[in-house]
Every structure is written in structure tokens, then in C-alpha cells.
Amino acid sequence: MTNETIAILHPGEMGAAIGARLRSKDLSVVWAGAGRSAVTRARAAAAGLRDAGALCDALVASSVVLSVCPPHAAVALAREVAAADFRGVYIDANAIAPATSHAVASIVEARGASFVDGGIIGPPPHDGSSARLYLSGRDAARLAALLTAGALDAVALDGGIGAASALKAAYAAWNKGATALAAAAHALAVHAGVAEALAEEWQRTQPEAVRRLDVLRRAARKAWRWKGEMEEIAGAHAEAGLPDGFHLAAAELYDRLASFKDSSAPPPLAELTRALDARARRG
Amino acid sequence: MTNETIAILHPGEMGAAIGARLRSKDLSVVWAGAGRSAVTRARAAAAGLRDAGALCDALVASSVVLSVCPPHAAVALAREVAAADFRGVYIDANAIAPATSHAVASIVEARGASFVDGGIIGPPPHDGSSARLYLSGRDAARLAALLTAGALDAVALDGGIGAASALKAAYAAWNKGATALAAAAHALAVHAGVAEALAEEWQRTQPEAVRRLDVLRRAARKAWRWKGEMEEIAGAHAEAGLPDGFHLAAAELYDRLASFKDSSAPPPLAELTRALDARARRG
């Protein structure tokens, strides 16, 4: 098993951290640097990943592909990999609905790969911060043993394809949903001129809501990426016979924060709140 | 001011507790017992409220009406009071949207009453549990002084009619919205067979979500009443240029719990979760 080579597509913050953990147990890890930014290149190099150049070269060298990308890009990436006739194990570790995971499985298996569903919970795994990579599907137990590496804990789940995606969806449904919910309630109070009274009530009995406003400020630069994830989670709820409105609303709110994309410092709460208000945005 | 008589319409758990606090400072408090249940009668008597009989008799005796009823009944109650030509102060303390509060104001003011907006935050005020009665509108400061009574803290807000309702809406938007959100995420995990793994992740990093499942179990018997409140909150969000989907989804979920109305013991979580799943309900 230690002769396996893993392709990470693509090494963003999460993918690079996972790659570094796999390198720490002497696995070969490659990526496809052709056409990628200098920032990504530097990140991948720092993580010890080998740049195989073009996607097809990375795939030829690899027995396992780990797809780690924004949710809205997951299906397109699977198509690219399938188009290159990849026949190893394809793990989709993205924040997608179980139905999307089944769609990705069909795409890559049609061209000879075997599919494993995945879901990552936790921050990028470093010293001092650990993440779980949940895996489900036929080969999940073997891959969990292969990929567990220090702060990265790979865990096989029963339930077949869709189980790992559903777990990630349920976790983020609460976590990112509650953050959007708190931000909307705060914006409602600001709109009515009662934000100070709400803050007092929240400090008295709802410290979690206060905390989440701060979480959102600090994450504002990446909130735009959560739109796609919220839409996937809405889909997962609908599939399960549950209302999808929570996460369609959260998707809309996070989309309104796109102007903070890659901003260097957390915005003041007042600025964030103005961005959430559709009427202030038009005004 | 101490000669004022306050009519509480109607003494449910919250109204009776407020009435008892007002009685403790020697205010006269009446209610309209005609046609009400034995349970309500016993509750009102225990709180020291005088039964004036018919609604019109309660109104004739009173300078202030405090409306404390389920949100869906607030407008109809205002119409009944207006129809009796009540010309004192009408406080709507219900969980309604600011726009609904303005509608209630129009109804009672058209027949000569003066209107004060209200919103209650906290559990029924007893020894050991306090509540705030927020008030806004022209007469709010005077009424706050009149109604503050021990565990009941009446607080005047700036901002005119709608401010108190908006504060209550924003508070409940998070509080009851987050409870519905956690229940839906848990139901999603149950549907996919990954509830145990989600529980482990939640215990590790999201204790608030775990706590809210227990809150919902214990409140299941009254969750049916929250449907109307969630719809009012959805309306408040829409008025403020914010997505209304969170609370329309919460309204739908709480409506699915109507079968637990007035149940004597908290249902097991598995039973609650089955009730939330539209497909299990049909099956």
C-alpha cells in the first residue's frame, strides 16, 4: 500500500494541508500545476507535493485521486478526470449533496475508475488542528487506513456512496447555517434600530449567537464560497423530505458577501450587515 | 397611576405569570373568563386575577389592555377589542412582525384606543425566572414604569411602533430558528444513517446543536404554536430586505410537530425526528 501515489486536485488551503500530512507518512503526492497561480504553486511546494504538470500526467502517475475543490466545481473536475480515462480510485471529498456524489460516481465509473464518497470535517489539518476525512463506499476501509496520517484522521462510514457527503452536509447545515441565521437576526435588529437591545439579550442568554457574528466577520473573505455549499445542503434536505429553505436563504446571504472575497482584514460588523441588506445594497 | 386596572387577554402561562407580578404591586388585574376553559380559570385564579366575565365587561373596567396570545390570534383579538369601543391603552405584546403590529395599531386606534407595541423576551416571570416586556410607541416610558414588577422588567425602547416587535422577532429568529435548524440537520443525518457520527462531531465542536435537540424535545408539546411566530418572523425579514426562507422552513418543521400538542412527556428524539421527515410521515 505504501507504493500508492495520490493526486490532490487541487491544493487549496485544505488540499495542501492534507497533502502535507500524507507526505509525512512517506506517501507520494502529486498535483497538476499547469496553469495554476503562483500562490497555489508556492503552497503546494511548501506542502512537499510534486508538480506533475498537466492533469493527464498527474493522473497517469497516480492510483488515487482526492478531489478537494469548491462544491460548484466538483462535477466539472470529475468530468476532466474521466475524460483522461483515469482508472484508479476517485475520492470526492467535497461539500456536495449525496445526489451530487452519486452523479460524480456515475461520471468517473463510466470510464473505469472506482468511486469513494468523502467528506471533510474540521479545519485544514496541521499540528494543533485536526480534521476527519470521512469515507464511504466499497473501498472506504482500505482507503481510510491508507490516508490516516497524524492530524488527518480518515474514517470509514457504513452506508455506501452518499453517507460521507450526507454527514458533511448535516454538519455544515448546522455550522454554516447557524452563522447565517445569527447574521440575519442581527441585521433585522439593525434595520429596526434595536441592535443594542438585542446584543444585551444575546449576551444574557445566547452567547452562541454573539460568537457566530464574530465567526462570520473573520470568515467574510471566504463566505462567497459557501453559496455553492449551502445550495448543495438545500438539495440534501429536499432529498431527505426536509424543508430546503434554511440553506437557500443562507446561500443568498453568503452570496451578498461576495464583495469581501479575499479581503485582507475582517470587516467591521456594521459593514458586513449593510452588505446583507438587499435594500441597502440597492440604495 | 396606581388606580389603573389592566386587562390581560388572555391568561395563558405567560399572561398569568405577568398578571401575578402586576398583582404583587397591588395593581388591579382583570380578565374575561366567559367561555374559557377550566384550566385557564384555575390558572387565572391562582394568579389573583379577577374574572370580569364577558370581554366588554373586562374592557369597561380597564384603562390598559395587555394582549398576550398566540401570534395568529393577535389581529382577531384586536378587532374584538376595537369592536367594544375600548379607548384606553392597548398593548400588543405578541410575537408578531412590525408590519402586523402597525396593522393592530390601525385597528384599535380607529376606535379611539392608543396603541403601544410590545414584545416579551424570557420565560414566564416567577421567582427565579425573569422576563423583559419591551415597549415602544408614544406612551412606552409611562407604561414601562407602570408595569415593571419584580421579575417582570418592562423596558421602553426608542423607535416607535414596530421596534419592540422587531426586537422580539430578531431574538426568536435566532433562538427558535436555531432549534429548528439543528433538528433538521439531525434529521438529515438520521435519514442517511450517519446520526451517530454526527453526534460525535457535534459533541466535539458543536455543543450548542446537541443542546438544542434536547430543548426541542422538552418543548415539543408547544412547538405547534411556533408556526405562526416563524411566519411572522419570515415577514419581518422580508420587510427588512433579508431572505425569509429560514423561518418559512422553521414554520414548516414546527407544523410537522403538531401531533405532540399538549403531550404529557417529552417524546424520544427518534420519534420527534420521524415526525419531521415528510416522507416518513407519508409512509
PDB file of all heavy atoms in Angstrom, chain A residues 148-179:
ATOM      1  N   THR A 148      -5.082   7.844   6.661  1.00  0.00           N
ATOM      2  CA  THR A 148      -4.931   8.383   8.019  1.00  0.00           C
ATOM      3  C   THR A 148      -3.467   8.749   8.251  1.00  0.00           C
ATOM      4  O   THR A 148      -2.570   7.939   8.003  1.00  0.00           O
ATOM      5  CB  THR A 148      -5.401   7.356   9.061  1.00  0.00           C
ATOM      6  OG1 THR A 148      -6.829   7.265   8.984  1.00  0.00           O
ATOM      7  CG2 THR A 148      -5.014   7.780  10.479  1.00  0.00           C
ATOM      8  N   ALA A 149      -3.249   9.987   8.676  1.00  0.00           N
ATOM      9  CA  ALA A 149      -1.868  10.487   8.776  1.00  0.00           C
ATOM     10  C   ALA A 149      -1.821  11.605   9.800  1.00  0.00           C
ATOM     11  O   ALA A 149      -2.085  12.767   9.474  1.00  0.00           O
ATOM     12  CB  ALA A 149      -1.408  10.997   7.405  1.00  0.00           C
ATOM     13  N   GLY A 150      -1.499  11.270  11.031  1.00  0.00           N
ATOM     14  CA  GLY A 150      -1.350  12.292  12.070  1.00  0.00           C
ATOM     15  C   GLY A 150      -2.630  13.065  12.277  1.00  0.00           C
ATOM     16  O   GLY A 150      -3.662  12.475  12.609  1.00  0.00           O
ATOM     17  N   ALA A 151      -2.567  14.373  12.054  1.00  0.00           N
ATOM     18  CA  ALA A 151      -3.726  15.232  12.302  1.00  0.00           C
ATOM     19  C   ALA A 151      -4.866  14.979  11.318  1.00  0.00           C
ATOM     20  O   ALA A 151      -5.957  15.542  11.464  1.00  0.00           O
ATOM     21  CB  ALA A 151      -3.308  16.702  12.238  1.00  0.00           C
ATOM     22  N   LEU A 152      -4.607  14.176  10.288  1.00  0.00           N
ATOM     23  CA  LEU A 152      -5.683  13.792   9.365  1.00  0.00           C
ATOM     24  C   LEU A 152      -6.173  12.400   9.745  1.00  0.00           C
ATOM     25  O   LEU A 152      -5.437  11.413   9.598  1.00  0.00           O
ATOM     26  CB  LEU A 152      -5.178  13.780   7.912  1.00  0.00           C
ATOM     27  CG  LEU A 152      -6.224  13.325   6.882  1.00  0.00           C
ATOM     28  CD1 LEU A 152      -7.367  14.340   6.782  1.00  0.00           C
ATOM     29  CD2 LEU A 152      -5.590  13.102   5.513  1.00  0.00           C
ATOM     30  N   ASP A 153      -7.423  12.330  10.227  1.00  0.00           N
ATOM     31  CA  ASP A 153      -7.985  11.063  10.655  1.00  0.00           C
ATOM     32  C   ASP A 153      -9.003  10.629   9.602  1.00  0.00           C
ATOM     33  O   ASP A 153     -10.065  11.233   9.494  1.00  0.00           O
ATOM     34  CB  ASP A 153      -8.656  11.271  12.022  1.00  0.00           C
ATOM     35  CG  ASP A 153      -9.090   9.964  12.655  1.00  0.00           C
ATOM     36  OD1 ASP A 153      -8.670   8.895  12.176  1.00  0.00           O
ATOM     37  OD2 ASP A 153      -9.860  10.031  13.630  1.00  0.00           O
ATOM     38  N   ALA A 154      -8.646   9.624   8.806  1.00  0.00           N
ATOM     39  CA  ALA A 154      -9.586   9.133   7.796  1.00  0.00           C
ATOM     40  C   ALA A 154     -10.438   8.037   8.424  1.00  0.00           C
ATOM     41  O   ALA A 154      -9.915   7.132   9.070  1.00  0.00           O
ATOM     42  CB  ALA A 154      -8.843   8.619   6.571  1.00  0.00           C
ATOM     43  N   VAL A 155     -11.764   8.156   8.256  1.00  0.00           N
ATOM     44  CA  VAL A 155     -12.713   7.298   8.970  1.00  0.00           C
ATOM     45  C   VAL A 155     -13.684   6.684   7.965  1.00  0.00           C
ATOM     46  O   VAL A 155     -14.362   7.415   7.237  1.00  0.00           O
ATOM     47  CB  VAL A 155     -13.529   8.129   9.995  1.00  0.00           C
ATOM     48  CG1 VAL A 155     -14.511   7.242  10.762  1.00  0.00           C
ATOM     49  CG2 VAL A 155     -12.609   8.874  10.955  1.00  0.00           C
ATOM     50  N   ALA A 156     -13.769   5.356   7.918  1.00  0.00           N
ATOM     51  CA  ALA A 156     -14.727   4.697   7.031  1.00  0.00           C
ATOM     52  C   ALA A 156     -16.109   4.668   7.675  1.00  0.00           C
ATOM     53  O   ALA A 156     -16.237   4.365   8.857  1.00  0.00           O
ATOM     54  CB  ALA A 156     -14.264   3.274   6.727  1.00  0.00           C
ATOM     55  N   LEU A 157     -17.124   5.034   6.889  1.00  0.00           N
ATOM     56  CA  LEU A 157     -18.518   5.007   7.348  1.00  0.00           C
ATOM     57  C   LEU A 157     -19.273   3.908   6.620  1.00  0.00           C
ATOM     58  O   LEU A 157     -19.056   3.693   5.423  1.00  0.00           O
ATOM     59  CB  LEU A 157     -19.218   6.320   6.987  1.00  0.00           C
ATOM     60  CG  LEU A 157     -18.899   7.595   7.735  1.00  0.00           C
ATOM     61  CD1 LEU A 157     -19.667   8.742   7.076  1.00  0.00           C
ATOM     62  CD2 LEU A 157     -19.289   7.468   9.209  1.00  0.00           C
ATOM     63  N   ASP A 158     -20.196   3.239   7.315  1.00  0.00           N
ATOM     64  CA  ASP A 158     -21.144   2.368   6.627  1.00  0.00           C
ATOM     65  C   ASP A 158     -22.132   3.216   5.840  1.00  0.00           C
ATOM     66  O   ASP A 158     -22.263   4.409   6.072  1.00  0.00           O
ATOM     67  CB  ASP A 158     -21.927   1.540   7.657  1.00  0.00           C
ATOM     68  CG  ASP A 158     -21.037   0.521   8.345  1.00  0.00           C
ATOM     69  OD1 ASP A 158     -20.013   0.133   7.747  1.00  0.00           O
ATOM     70  OD2 ASP A 158     -21.362   0.134   9.482  1.00  0.00           O
ATOM     71  N   GLY A 159     -22.832   2.576   4.916  1.00  0.00           N
ATOM     72  CA  GLY A 159     -23.925   3.279   4.255  1.00  0.00           C
ATOM     73  C   GLY A 159     -23.707   3.531   2.780  1.00  0.00           C
ATOM     74  O   GLY A 159     -24.596   4.043   2.099  1.00  0.00           O
ATOM     75  N   GLY A 160     -22.519   3.183   2.276  1.00  0.00           N
ATOM     76  CA  GLY A 160     -22.288   3.304   0.839  1.00  0.00           C
ATOM     77  C   GLY A 160     -22.131   4.740   0.373  1.00  0.00           C
ATOM     78  O   GLY A 160     -22.033   5.673   1.174  1.00  0.00           O
ATOM     79  N   ILE A 161     -22.124   4.884  -0.942  1.00  0.00           N
ATOM     80  CA  ILE A 161     -21.941   6.217  -1.532  1.00  0.00           C
ATOM     81  C   ILE A 161     -23.066   7.140  -1.071  1.00  0.00           C
ATOM     82  O   ILE A 161     -24.234   6.753  -1.087  1.00  0.00           O
ATOM     83  CB  ILE A 161     -21.901   6.099  -3.076  1.00  0.00           C
ATOM     84  CG1 ILE A 161     -20.638   5.336  -3.474  1.00  0.00           C
ATOM     85  CG2 ILE A 161     -21.947   7.471  -3.732  1.00  0.00           C
ATOM     86  CD1 ILE A 161     -20.594   4.973  -4.949  1.00  0.00           C
ATOM     87  N   GLY A 162     -22.718   8.334  -0.666  1.00  0.00           N
ATOM     88  CA  GLY A 162     -23.684   9.305  -0.156  1.00  0.00           C
ATOM     89  C   GLY A 162     -23.586   9.508   1.336  1.00  0.00           C
ATOM     90  O   GLY A 162     -23.905  10.583   1.840  1.00  0.00           O
ATOM     91  N   ALA A 163     -23.132   8.484   2.061  1.00  0.00           N
ATOM     92  CA  ALA A 163     -23.105   8.598   3.530  1.00  0.00           C
ATOM     93  C   ALA A 163     -22.114   9.676   3.975  1.00  0.00           C
ATOM     94  O   ALA A 163     -22.437  10.515   4.832  1.00  0.00           O
ATOM     95  CB  ALA A 163     -22.760   7.247   4.160  1.00  0.00           C
ATOM     96  N   ALA A 164     -20.917   9.670   3.414  1.00  0.00           N
ATOM     97  CA  ALA A 164     -19.911  10.661   3.833  1.00  0.00           C
ATOM     98  C   ALA A 164     -20.363  12.069   3.450  1.00  0.00           C
ATOM     99  O   ALA A 164     -20.203  13.016   4.224  1.00  0.00           O
ATOM    100  CB  ALA A 164     -18.556  10.336   3.201  1.00  0.00           C
ATOM    101  N   SER A 165     -20.940  12.197   2.252  1.00  0.00           N
ATOM    102  CA  SER A 165     -21.434  13.517   1.833  1.00  0.00           C
ATOM    103  C   SER A 165     -22.578  13.992   2.725  1.00  0.00           C
ATOM    104  O   SER A 165     -22.672  15.175   3.046  1.00  0.00           O
ATOM    105  CB  SER A 165     -21.926  13.469   0.382  1.00  0.00           C
ATOM    106  OG  SER A 165     -20.820  13.360  -0.482  1.00  0.00           O
ATOM    107  N   ALA A 166     -23.442  13.069   3.112  1.00  0.00           N
ATOM    108  CA  ALA A 166     -24.572  13.442   3.972  1.00  0.00           C
ATOM    109  C   ALA A 166     -24.082  13.896   5.341  1.00  0.00           C
ATOM    110  O   ALA A 166     -24.613  14.852   5.912  1.00  0.00           O
ATOM    111  CB  ALA A 166     -25.541  12.263   4.116  1.00  0.00           C
ATOM    112  N   LEU A 167     -23.070  13.219   5.862  1.00  0.00           N
ATOM    113  CA  LEU A 167     -22.530  13.609   7.173  1.00  0.00           C
ATOM    114  C   LEU A 167     -21.945  15.021   7.109  1.00  0.00           C
ATOM    115  O   LEU A 167     -22.224  15.871   7.967  1.00  0.00           O
ATOM    116  CB  LEU A 167     -21.463  12.604   7.622  1.00  0.00           C
ATOM    117  CG  LEU A 167     -20.741  12.957   8.922  1.00  0.00           C
ATOM    118  CD1 LEU A 167     -21.717  13.123  10.084  1.00  0.00           C
ATOM    119  CD2 LEU A 167     -19.690  11.897   9.257  1.00  0.00           C
ATOM    120  N   LYS A 168     -21.155  15.264   6.067  1.00  0.00           N
ATOM    121  CA  LYS A 168     -20.585  16.608   5.907  1.00  0.00           C
ATOM    122  C   LYS A 168     -21.706  17.644   5.731  1.00  0.00           C
ATOM    123  O   LYS A 168     -21.649  18.737   6.309  1.00  0.00           O
ATOM    124  CB  LYS A 168     -19.660  16.626   4.688  1.00  0.00           C
ATOM    125  CG  LYS A 168     -19.249  17.993   4.194  1.00  0.00           C
ATOM    126  CD  LYS A 168     -18.362  18.724   5.189  1.00  0.00           C
ATOM    127  CE  LYS A 168     -17.929  20.086   4.637  1.00  0.00           C
ATOM    128  NZ  LYS A 168     -17.037  20.797   5.566  1.00  0.00           N
ATOM    129  N   ALA A 169     -22.722  17.296   4.948  1.00  0.00           N
ATOM    130  CA  ALA A 169     -23.836  18.235   4.717  1.00  0.00           C
ATOM    131  C   ALA A 169     -24.560  18.542   6.025  1.00  0.00           C
ATOM    132  O   ALA A 169     -24.894  19.697   6.305  1.00  0.00           O
ATOM    133  CB  ALA A 169     -24.809  17.651   3.683  1.00  0.00           C
ATOM    134  N   ALA A 170     -24.808  17.505   6.833  1.00  0.00           N
ATOM    135  CA  ALA A 170     -25.529  17.724   8.092  1.00  0.00           C
ATOM    136  C   ALA A 170     -24.698  18.573   9.052  1.00  0.00           C
ATOM    137  O   ALA A 170     -25.220  19.449   9.743  1.00  0.00           O
ATOM    138  CB  ALA A 170     -25.876  16.372   8.734  1.00  0.00           C
ATOM    139  N   TYR A 171     -23.388  18.313   9.080  1.00  0.00           N
ATOM    140  CA  TYR A 171     -22.517  19.094   9.963  1.00  0.00           C
ATOM    141  C   TYR A 171     -22.502  20.572   9.539  1.00  0.00           C
ATOM    142  O   TYR A 171     -22.701  21.466  10.356  1.00  0.00           O
ATOM    143  CB  TYR A 171     -21.092  18.526   9.944  1.00  0.00           C
ATOM    144  CG  TYR A 171     -20.174  19.222  10.923  1.00  0.00           C
ATOM    145  CD1 TYR A 171     -20.102  18.810  12.244  1.00  0.00           C
ATOM    146  CD2 TYR A 171     -19.392  20.303  10.524  1.00  0.00           C
ATOM    147  CE1 TYR A 171     -19.275  19.461  13.152  1.00  0.00           C
ATOM    148  CE2 TYR A 171     -18.566  20.962  11.417  1.00  0.00           C
ATOM    149  CZ  TYR A 171     -18.514  20.532  12.734  1.00  0.00           C
ATOM    150  OH  TYR A 171     -17.702  21.189  13.624  1.00  0.00           O
ATOM    151  N   ALA A 172     -22.300  20.807   8.250  1.00  0.00           N
ATOM    152  CA  ALA A 172     -22.232  22.193   7.761  1.00  0.00           C
ATOM    153  C   ALA A 172     -23.610  22.845   7.754  1.00  0.00           C
ATOM    154  O   ALA A 172     -23.720  24.069   7.856  1.00  0.00           O
ATOM    155  CB  ALA A 172     -21.622  22.223   6.364  1.00  0.00           C
ATOM    156  N   ALA A 173     -24.666  22.035   7.654  1.00  0.00           N
ATOM    157  CA  ALA A 173     -26.037  22.576   7.704  1.00  0.00           C
ATOM    158  C   ALA A 173     -26.230  23.357   8.983  1.00  0.00           C
ATOM    159  O   ALA A 173     -26.756  24.473   8.979  1.00  0.00           O
ATOM    160  CB  ALA A 173     -27.056  21.440   7.616  1.00  0.00           C
ATOM    161  N   TRP A 174     -25.806  22.743  10.092  1.00  0.00           N
ATOM    162  CA  TRP A 174     -25.883  23.457  11.368  1.00  0.00           C
ATOM    163  C   TRP A 174     -24.819  24.555  11.427  1.00  0.00           C
ATOM    164  O   TRP A 174     -25.129  25.709  11.707  1.00  0.00           O
ATOM    165  CB  TRP A 174     -25.719  22.503  12.555  1.00  0.00           C
ATOM    166  CG  TRP A 174     -25.397  23.249  13.806  1.00  0.00           C
ATOM    167  CD1 TRP A 174     -24.169  23.371  14.388  1.00  0.00           C
ATOM    168  CD2 TRP A 174     -26.286  24.063  14.595  1.00  0.00           C
ATOM    169  NE1 TRP A 174     -24.236  24.191  15.487  1.00  0.00           N
ATOM    170  CE2 TRP A 174     -25.525  24.634  15.639  1.00  0.00           C
ATOM    171  CE3 TRP A 174     -27.652  24.367  14.510  1.00  0.00           C
ATOM    172  CZ2 TRP A 174     -26.073  25.486  16.598  1.00  0.00           C
ATOM    173  CZ3 TRP A 174     -28.205  25.226  15.472  1.00  0.00           C
ATOM    174  CH2 TRP A 174     -27.417  25.771  16.494  1.00  0.00           C
ATOM    175  N   ASN A 175     -23.583  24.195  11.168  1.00  0.00           N
ATOM    176  CA  ASN A 175     -22.488  25.121  11.471  1.00  0.00           C
ATOM    177  C   ASN A 175     -22.575  26.392  10.630  1.00  0.00           C
ATOM    178  O   ASN A 175     -22.663  27.502  11.165  1.00  0.00           O
ATOM    179  CB  ASN A 175     -21.149  24.416  11.260  1.00  0.00           C
ATOM    180  CG  ASN A 175     -19.998  25.232  11.805  1.00  0.00           C
ATOM    181  OD1 ASN A 175     -20.169  26.006  12.750  1.00  0.00           O
ATOM    182  ND2 ASN A 175     -18.833  25.082  11.218  1.00  0.00           N
ATOM    183  N   LYS A 176     -22.616  26.236   9.320  1.00  0.00           N
ATOM    184  CA  LYS A 176     -22.663  27.438   8.471  1.00  0.00           C
ATOM    185  C   LYS A 176     -24.076  28.003   8.400  1.00  0.00           C
ATOM    186  O   LYS A 176     -24.257  29.198   8.182  1.00  0.00           O
ATOM    187  CB  LYS A 176     -22.112  27.115   7.084  1.00  0.00           C
ATOM    188  CG  LYS A 176     -20.624  26.771   7.157  1.00  0.00           C
ATOM    189  CD  LYS A 176     -19.991  26.547   5.803  1.00  0.00           C
ATOM    190  CE  LYS A 176     -18.519  26.198   5.952  1.00  0.00           C
ATOM    191  NZ  LYS A 176     -18.184  24.878   5.389  1.00  0.00           N
ATOM    192  N   GLY A 177     -25.093  27.139   8.597  1.00  0.00           N
ATOM    193  CA  GLY A 177     -26.471  27.633   8.640  1.00  0.00           C
ATOM    194  C   GLY A 177     -26.711  28.523   9.847  1.00  0.00           C
ATOM    195  O   GLY A 177     -27.336  29.583   9.749  1.00  0.00           O
ATOM    196  N   ALA A 178     -26.203  28.119  11.004  1.00  0.00           N
ATOM    197  CA  ALA A 178     -26.416  28.901  12.227  1.00  0.00           C
ATOM    198  C   ALA A 178     -25.700  30.249  12.134  1.00  0.00           C
ATOM    199  O   ALA A 178     -26.203  31.260  12.636  1.00  0.00           O
ATOM    200  CB  ALA A 178     -25.936  28.107  13.444  1.00  0.00           C
ATOM    201  N   THR A 179     -24.545  30.262  11.503  1.00  0.00           N
ATOM    202  CA  THR A 179     -23.824  31.533  11.337  1.00  0.00           C
ATOM    203  C   THR A 179     -24.643  32.500  10.478  1.00  0.00           C
ATOM    204  O   THR A 179     -24.788  33.688  10.814  1.00  0.00           O
ATOM    205  CB  THR A 179     -22.438  31.256  10.729  1.00  0.00           C
ATOM    206  OG1 THR A 179     -21.681  30.481  11.665  1.00  0.00           O
ATOM    207  CG2 THR A 179     -21.690  32.545  10.428  1.00  0.00           C
TER     208      THR A 179
END
